Structures are given as C-alpha cells and as structure tokens.
Amino acid sequence: MSVTSINTRNQFKGQIVAIKRGEIVSEVEIETSAGIISAVVTTSSLQRLNLRVGNAALALFKATEVMIAKLADD
Amino acid sequence: MSVTSINTRNQFKGQIVAIKRGEIVSEVEIETSAGIISAVVTTSSLQRLNLRVGNAALALFKATEVMIAKLADD
Amino acid sequence: MSVTSINTRNQFKGQIVAIKRGEIVSEVEIETSAGIISAVVTTSSLQRLNLRVGNAALALFKATEVMIAKLADD
Amino acid sequence: MSVTSINTRNQFKGQIVAIKRGEIVSEVEIETSAGIISAVVTTSSLQRLNLRVGNAALALFKATEVMIAKLADD
Amino acid sequence: MSVTSINTRNQFKGQIVAIKRGEIVSEVEIETSAGIISAVVTTSSLQRLNLRVGNAALALFKATEVMIAKLADD
Amino acid sequence: MSVTSINTRNQFKGQIVAIKRGEIVSEVEIETSAGIISAVVTTSSLQRLNLRVGNAALALFKATEVMIAKLADD
C-alpha cells in the first residue's frame, strides 16, 4: 500500500539544503520557493528515511499548528 | 511592552485572502510567496484581532510541528 | 513526484470507520489494530482527499506531540 | 490502572469558567492563578468526561508547543 | 487532587521498552497492542517521573495532532 | 512591518529564569504569575533572538495544543 495523498493543505516542495544532526533530534532545512522551512525531527527517523542534503522533500504541517500575527503597516 | 521578535524561524509574510468563519474555529488563508498557508484559529481570536481579508499577516509555525516526506524522482 | 516515505515513526494503518462532518473541521475515526485513532482535520482537506468511510488510511502523528502518563499498578 | 503522573511540566490547575460548545470542537476556558487558559477539545471528549463549568481541571501542554516572543522594555 | 480522566480519546496503554536519553530531550518507545509508539519528551520530565524501561505507561496525543494519508489499494 | 498582535489567547508574560542549552534544542523556563512555563525551542532560534536569563518574554501556545484533565475532589 503506498501513500496517494496526505490531508494537510500545507505541503511545500523543496530541497534539503542543511542537516544539523543531534543525538535525539536533528534540524533539517528545506529550501522552498518561499524560503527556508526549518523542521526538527527525530534523528532515528532521519536515518530510517536516509535523508541527505540535496534530496527532494516535502515539508508538511497542519493548519491547526499555524499561529497568525497581525502586522502594522509601518 | 511590545513584541520585538518571535523565536520560531518559520515565519511567512503574506496577505489574508480568505476567511471561512465557524462557530468555534475558523479557517484563514494567507497568500505568501510560496502559495497559500492555511491556518485554523479560534473564532474568538479572529474577532479579538479584528482580522480581515486584505490584512498583512505573518503565518508562524514551530519547527517541531513540521513533518518531512521524501519524494521519489519519478 | 510522489511521496516515498514520511519521517514520523508513528504511522498506523487502518480503515476509516466514522466521519463526523463540521463546517470548518471534521472528526475522522480510523480503526487500527490498537483500536480507534481519532483525527480532527479541516473539512476542506477531507473534501480534497475525497475521504470516505471504508477507505484504507494511515494515521500519522509526530513523536514530539505524544505525552506520557505513568500508570499505577493498582 | 490509574494515572499517577503525566510527563509534561506545564500543568496548571484551575476551574472551568466557560464552555462554548460546537458541533465537532468546543472551546473551554480554565481560570488559573495566571489568568484564563483557553483549550479547544473535541466535543465528543467534552461529553465523555462530562466536563462542566465549575469543575476543577488541569490544563496541560507540552514544552515543544510553546513559542517565545522577546519583549521590548518600552 | 488526583487526575480522574484526560480529555483526549487517543490514549494507548503499553509498556516502556526503550529510552534513549539526550541532554535536553529523550526518545521513549512504548510497546502497545498496535506496535511501538515513539514519544519525544524533555529529559527533565523523564527524571521527574522516574520513567524506566518496564514501566506501564499511557501514550496520549490530541486528535488535532493527527494527519491522515490516503492509501492506494496496490 | 512590526507585529501588532498575535492570534493565540494563551499569552503569558514573564521573565526568563533558566536556559538549558542543547546542541539542536534548548529548554527555557519562563517565570510567570502562574509559575514556571517550560518551552523547548531550537538552539538556533535562541541565538537568533539572543535570549538571555533575565529577559522579559512572552510564552505563547495555541488552544488546540491544550489537553484537559478532570480532577477528583479528594
């Protein structure tokens, strides 16, 4: 069975441009058309997916996780 | 005291292009340079901030909320 | 480009057994081998994926979202 | 088996002072010593716990969910 | 005052089978009837709860944190 | 453009009283009128904001991230 689609609308395609490995979690930077999206994932999942700098990747986050700040027109 | 900066790196500036109001939560769409970011926020906070279509806004989400999917080069 | 794998380890296969539709968000119940996993997703994503009762589905959640409670051996 | 302790450090005791019921999710306000903490939970869990205004309750949230904003000393 | 019930429906009983300790956060694996649920919690909370391999534990996560992927019937 | 307001209602003002630095993530404790709120943020964002013990800060978390536990009146 393969994944055909994922429910969240917030899906941004890009390329992995940096990986900072830690013992338990690692920080991954994905360059998308809007700039860098930063993700913190378990190092074990990084290894399981064999994620490397240069890989094509999708950054996904749920709408319920997004906060909105109002900006002043200064 | 005013907010000078917010810790999360994932901050995307854009314009509110759609608001779908619900009783308890509402869905807000923010047009950013990478496309639409969808946020679900409480309707009470929508009213408190007096958020309207056309407002300049910032979509914020933490790195720990981001999942990564590996893409095949098909 | 299709999704080959998703980083989170918490992925549970099951079948959609109930969908309670709301205006903005909907509650979806997925019967897995450990019992029902309940998900709240935007109704717009439910429609976009054309999710229906009976569909095979994967429930995904990040390790950073999981709380642990210690149980007494009463 | 009963819960003896829950891992998250962010646990705030208070009293439920308002419940706004929705079809799928409901907004619950808990008055704590620091003021109101607002929670959005599924209406089904509200019913299952038989939560009412006046109940003693604990608001829990993980450290990974907390954003920090730096304040100017204006 | 003791906890009688917690609102989230997603509660899975199991046994702690592995703990990978890090400086700030640690990864805990809980064997449930559906397989392993992985949790990342602060190391300080791990110590406060004195969580050990072999302990009975409950893995809890909110419905709003769950993403759904549709599976192809290949 | 500066931030005028942030949507989440859960905003607690306080002072940073402890920072435990890790390689990838760090734990920050903010003393508020309700007690300590603990936040786990990326160490890179800690450096970018130049957050120090003694700074005035705001702890922010979304209502959808809050779990509710019912307390017994023992």
Side-chain angles (χ1 to χ4, degrees), chain D residues 16 19 21 43-53 55, chain E residues 5 7, chain F residues 70:
Chain D
I16 295 177
I19 296 177
R21 267 172 209 274
T43 304
S44 55
S45 67
L46 204 65
Q47 286 148 351
R48 207 174 45 254
L49 260 71
N50 190 22
L51 284 176
R52 299 181 175 290
V53 169
N55 283 164
Chain E
S5 47
N7 80 287
Chain F
K70 202 170 179 184

Side-chain angles (χ1 to χ4, degrees), chain B residues 20-23 25-27 40 63-74, chain C residues 1-8 23-25 42-44 47 60-62 64-65:
Chain B
K20 217 160 62 171
R21 267 173 209 273
E23 228 184 323
V25 290
S26 296
E27 190 170 0
V40 166
T64 42
E65 311 296 356
V66 180
M67 261 189 212
I68 301 176
K70 202 171 178 183
L71 294 173
D73 305 317
D74 36 357
Chain C
M1 276 191 169
S2 57
V3 169
T4 59
S5 47
I6 303 165
N7 81 284
T8 182
E23 230 184 319
I24 305 296
V25 290
T42 58
T43 303
S44 55
Q47 285 149 351
L60 305 131
F61 49 94
K62 290 195 73 177
T64 43
E65 310 297 354

Side-chain angles (χ1 to χ4, degrees), chain C:
Chain C
M1 276 191 169
S2 57
V3 169
T4 59
S5 47
I6 303 165
N7 81 284
T8 182
R9 170 146 182 202
N10 297 323
Q11 305 188 17
F12 292 88
K13 227 176 270 175
Q15 194 179 40
I16 295 178
V17 291
I19 296 178
K20 220 162 61 175
R21 269 173 207 274
E23 230 184 319
I24 305 296
V25 290
S26 296
E27 190 171 358
V28 179
E29 292 183 3
I30 301 170
E31 174 96 63
T32 72
S33 54
I36 299 277
I37 290 185
S38 169
V40 166
V41 297
T42 58
T43 303
S44 55
S45 67
L46 203 66
Q47 285 149 351
R48 207 173 45 252
L49 261 69
N50 190 21
L51 284 177
R52 299 181 175 289
V53 169
N55 282 164
L58 209 57
L60 305 131
F61 49 94
K62 290 195 73 177
T64 43
E65 310 297 354
V66 180
M67 263 190 211
I68 301 176
K70 202 171 178 183
L71 294 172
D73 304 320
D74 37 4

